[in-house]
Amino acid sequence: MPKRNFYSLVAIPLFFELGNVVFSFALGIDILRKTGSSINFAVTVLADPLAMLISMPFVGKIVDRYSKKKIILVCEFIAVTVLLIFSILIGLKLSAILTIAAAAITILLLRMTGLFVQVSLGAATPQLVNPDQIQKVNAINQMTGGLSNILGPILGALLLAIISIGQIAYVQVTTEILVLLLSLSLVFSKEKAADIADKLEKVKHEGSLKAAWLYLKTQTSLFALLLAAAAANLLLGFIDVGMPISLVRQLQASNQFIAFNDGALSLGVILAGIALSIMKRPVSLYLSTRLIKYGMLVAFSILTLLNLLPVNTSIYQIAVLTTVFFLGVIVSLASVPLLTHTQLTIKKSMLGRVLSLQDGLMMVLAPAGIVLSSLAFQFFTIWQSFAVGLVLSLFAVILPSTRATKDH
């Protein structure tokens, strides 16, 4: 495989993720400042899961059926067109309602095209690099995703202080064009005409998401890791909601410490990504599944005890930072091996749908976890709310379907 494929597969997600985080953050803040309405701000945030719900039924089937490179190029062209139209509309000084509508539609379309690009790249990776490079690519992309989540809001805020949101859209156009050019450089392994015809026939007869789900269930250890990762994604909602609440109520912590604590999660993701990128062999499904399940159990046990027992402030701060960092490591241990083993074991004719199913499951459970944790922290004390997460993590440990076998 050409070496440039490896570098392009690493560079594309970096520019793609960073550009999207910068633009989305800047757009949300701009809407919030201009309208003063949290509901209007929420509209731009909700576009993310809405795009997943709209796209999930057909994105995988399209990726499995058609040229992945062409899908990426078409989606990038659409993204550039949408951003240019948005820039023109913003320059027309529209009313508040029309501005919000334009922003929501823009984010929705960018997320939908982004999902096609993400699934296409994931499904194409086995065709673009050697099998021993797949985990390295995924680990580096996980690491750059963590960096984007740290740097994106900072860059978005800085740009918004200097230029208008319409001009930031032009910056994002530049980023999308760069991604398009990098995508053009990808060299796919050539498939024989007979293989292409056979793949299209399989997609035609196995085209439903239900077929992909039933097929995924036959991959016992991979399915166990998927469920463990999904449970971790649900439980992270307790961290997103609960950590700021506990730090403010228990420590009267400053905004700086809360932000620093939030950064500990991304730091764990980044460092775990570095470690996974230098490993010569993928982490086994069995080991990854056990680390995720028991790691979440330990983390929520610590958080429950910290808020139940009288603990020195300094010890509380150190324990919380360490636990959140550890959770960031778990995020990488969940996502990187899951994606890597999926790409290595799932048949090509089904890979796009399986990847879209996995992304959809994670996307649905993330807001579900936030809603569940919000209710817990509304009606229970802090330690009781974390105890709810502890019970859920314990349930994930004993659930039979999350038990991977040692031979994987």
Side-chain angles (χ1 to χ4, degrees), residues 30-44:
D30 186 67
I31 292 292
L32 186 61
R33 285 180 176 174
K34 287 179 177 176
T35 66
S37 170
S38 58
I39 295 177
N40 293 336
F41 173 73
V43 167
T44 61

Side-chain angles (χ1 to χ4, degrees), residues 9 35 44 49 62 89 227 281 347 364 390:
L9 280 175
T35 66
T44 61
I62 291 175
L89 291 175
L227 293 183
R281 296 181 61 185
K347 55 187 180 182
V364 169
L390 176 59

Side-chain angles (χ1 to χ4, degrees), residues 338-351:
L338 176 62
L339 179 56
T340 301
H341 284 285
T342 299
Q343 292 166 329
L344 288 172
T345 60
I346 299 298
K347 55 187 180 182
K348 290 182 181 179
S349 62
M350 194 73 77
L351 187 52

Side-chain angles (χ1 to χ4, degrees), residues 2-10 128-129 133 136-137 140:
K3 286 186 177 180
R4 67 183 184 188
N5 278 355
F6 176 84
Y7 296 114
S8 294
L9 280 175
V10 170
L128 296 169
V129 295
Q133 293 180 307
K136 188 172 185 178
V137 168
I140 293 174

